[in-house]
Amino acid sequence: MPSGSTVVDHEGTKVQITCGIDWAEAHHDVAVLDSSGDVLVRARIDSGATGFTRLMALLGEHVDVDQIAAVPVAIETDKNLLVVALQAAGMTVFAINPRAVARYRERHGQSGKKSDPGDAFVLADLLRTDRHQHRPLPAVSHHASAIKALARQHQDAIWAVNQTVSRLRSLLLEFYPQAIRAFPNLKHKAALAILGAAPTPEAGRRLTTRRITTLLHRCGRRNDASLVARILTDLHTPALRQPAVVEAAYGVTTRGLIASIVAMQTAVTELEQALAVEFDRHPLATILRSAPGLGPVLAARVLAEVGDDPDRFTTAAGLRAFAGTAPVTRASGRSRYVKARKVRNKRLGDACHWWAFVTITKSAGARAHYDRRRAAGDHHNAALRNLANKLVGRLWWCLQHHETWNDRAAWNTTGSTPDPSAA
């Protein structure tokens, strides 16, 4: 049975129509179908305000203006500005996974052909026949959307810093191994400051005790004669050298990478401060921070991915599957295999992993559960995933009932628990 929304056309007849949009950077292909699968509209619109206005006009040609919001829309992304405009107009938007679209495309032919107009038709037909199998985008508040933007950019910025530090380490191995011996952790301000002042082995050999002491003071380090002596010893250690002109070229690259790392670290700090301020203003912050192991960053990341729509997850199992903590069972005949879930929200899954990791030092009940899983034969990550599954289920209950975390109720324990504040 067709599962599109029932609307009223210009003749007053109740009809069911669905809309599919195949998006690209500069334009979007649109297809609108009726309940029989016949195409009512095929069009290409631009990706700006003009395109949105035209889309509303195209829908208005087939339904009354006050009925446009009842037309469901399928699109392959949830990040496009068009999606924001559609939701602001009150329309129900379905963000369909491109893998699912590829499978639905095979319903209409096995030749392997693909086109943007064809995908728009597939998306509209998908809603016409199987809308009940897909979940619409949640009604997330602007406040939660702002937290999501900050949390994701903060995490991406940290990943970018780590990647650039790895590039710096790889570069130093090619011409300046003494630097890695002197500074095993290249993220430290002291390491970046001294290497910025001495980006080549020759410059490192010219460093003096007084110069290093001054650089360390600028980084806020206390007087430590043994540290200065160790750095000097490591940088002055004889080693194989590149030709002078090559070494100079590497030095320029090193100084550029260091400048990039310092700038990105500043951006991470600013993002983290803005994220903390925005998160503390959200009504759900108190509930999330009450959970042991959820500090301001992890709690904000959880809220960013889960959202604040109370109707998004009607069961704890739905949230567990979304986070990827719930296992997947593959059974056929006598074969039965339980494995970790791969299709999930990876950012939420990562946050839950670290939440479980921290919680085993903050909650006696969590630690006991982890130890039981290890004793049963689970390896470390499997035990953490099982623990995270328990934590997510309890968090769902807290959010549904608007109650703060109670560790005794969570683990059914009567003893005292450690301080639940996160590190």
Side-chain angles (χ1 to χ4, degrees):
M1 289 292 293
S3 53
S5 292
T6 300
V7 296
V8 179
D9 63 12
H10 296 308
E11 286 73 34
T13 305
K14 291 184 177 181
V15 296
Q16 289 182 328
I17 67 173
T18 55
C19 177
I21 302 176
D22 183 80
W23 70 281
E25 182 176 349
H27 63 268
H28 308 300
D29 284 278
V30 177
V32 179
L33 308 184
D34 62 15
S35 58
S36 301
D38 295 328
V39 178
L40 300 178
V41 174
R42 279 192 188 275
R44 173 168 289 187
I45 61 176
D46 65 45
S47 57
T50 304
F52 175 75
T53 302
R54 188 182 175 209
L55 174 61
M56 295 296 101
L58 291 172
L59 294 176
E61 293 175 1
H62 298 277
V63 299
D64 290 338
V65 175
D66 60 348
Q67 297 285 310
I68 292 178
V71 178
V73 179
I75 190 169
E76 290 180 280
T77 181
D78 62 349
K79 303 174 184 177
N80 193 280
L81 281 172
L82 181 61
V83 174
V84 177
L86 290 170
Q87 285 193 296
M91 303 185 74
T92 303
V93 182
F94 293 78
I96 309 298
N97 190 300
R99 291 178 58 189
V101 178
R103 299 299 178 269
Y104 275 98
R105 191 186 301 125
E106 294 174 356
R107 283 184 173 185
H108 304 277
Q110 302 298 315
S111 65
K113 68 178 181 178
K114 180 187 182 304
S115 68
D116 292 344
D119 281 354
F121 173 85
V122 169
L123 286 163
D125 196 55
L126 179 154
L127 284 189
R128 183 182 69 87
T129 58
D130 293 329
R131 178 185 178 185
H132 60 287
Q133 297 287 354
H134 298 273
R135 180 179 295 171
L137 288 178
V140 178
S141 69
H142 295 328
H143 197 168
S145 296
I147 293 172
K148 181 177 181 178
L150 289 168
R152 288 193 168 189
Q153 290 305 313
H154 175 256
Q155 189 173 38
D156 288 345
I158 291 175
W159 289 340
V161 170
N162 294 338
Q163 185 180 40
T164 308
V165 168
S166 296
R167 286 180 58 197
L168 177 60
R169 179 178 296 277
S170 177
L171 183 72
L172 293 174
L173 284 173
E174 296 184 38
F175 83 110
Y176 200 179
Q178 307 97 305
I180 296 178
R181 193 157 45 247
F183 306 108
N185 189 342
L186 294 174
K187 294 181 183 178
H188 282 174
K189 290 183 178 180
L192 296 173
I194 295 176
L195 288 179
T200 64
E202 184 59 34
R205 291 184 63 82
R206 292 198 300 266
L207 284 176
T208 63
T209 300
R210 184 174 180 179
R211 176 62 171 157
I212 293 178
T213 301
T214 301
L215 291 170
L216 290 177
H217 285 172
R218 289 178 183 175
C219 298
R221 296 296 295 268
R222 60 182 173 80
N223 291 326
D224 190 340
S226 62
L227 174 62
V228 175
R230 183 182 63 77
I231 292 173
L232 274 176
T233 300
D234 289 335
L235 293 181
H236 291 176
T237 301
L240 299 176
R241 299 277 294 272
Q242 292 273 7
V245 64
V246 178
E247 194 173 87
Y250 275 120
V252 173
T253 306
T254 298
R255 191 174 278 120
L257 286 175
I258 290 173
S260 297
I261 293 170
V262 171
M264 286 190 289
Q265 286 179 335
T266 301
V268 169
T269 301
E270 293 175 352
L271 284 167
E272 187 167 326
Q273 292 172 349
L275 177 61
V277 171
E278 198 69 34
F279 174 71
D280 286 339
R281 294 173 180 168
H282 197 280
L284 296 179
T286 302
I287 296 176
L288 289 164
R289 286 300 306 276
S290 68
L294 277 186
V297 173
L298 276 182
R301 288 182 183 174
V302 170
L303 176 60
E305 303 306 324
V306 174
D308 55 5
D309 182 354
D311 300 322
R312 184 176 187 180
F313 299 102
T314 56
T315 64
L319 180 55
R320 286 166 167 164
F322 184 67
T325 59
V328 172
T329 301
R330 296 180 63 91
S332 178
R334 297 182 180 180
S335 173
R336 187 177 183 274
Y337 177 53
V338 180
K339 65 175 186 176
R341 187 180 296 265
K342 299 299 182 183
V343 179
R344 66 193 190 281
N345 184 310
K346 294 183 179 180
R347 291 179 185 269
L348 180 57
D350 178 76
C352 291
H353 170 85
W354 291 113
W355 178 20
F357 181 80
V358 175
T359 305
I360 59 178
T361 64
K362 301 295 179 181
S363 165
R367 182 73 208 196
H369 183 85
Y370 171 83
D371 290 340
R372 284 196 298 271
R373 297 307 305 178
R374 293 285 281 160
D378 285 356
H379 57 73
H380 174 67
N381 283 336
L384 281 184
R385 188 163 54 248
N386 189 280
L387 172 59
N389 200 43
K390 293 287 186 180
L391 294 172
V392 169
R394 182 63 186 180
L395 180 64
W396 174 87
W397 188 92
C398 291
L399 293 174
Q400 288 292 312
H401 294 82
H402 295 281
E403 293 189 14
T404 56
W405 188 280
N406 185 321
D407 216 43
R408 295 182 181 180
W411 307 106
N412 194 23
T413 59
T414 56
S416 60
T417 58
D419 182 5
S421 61

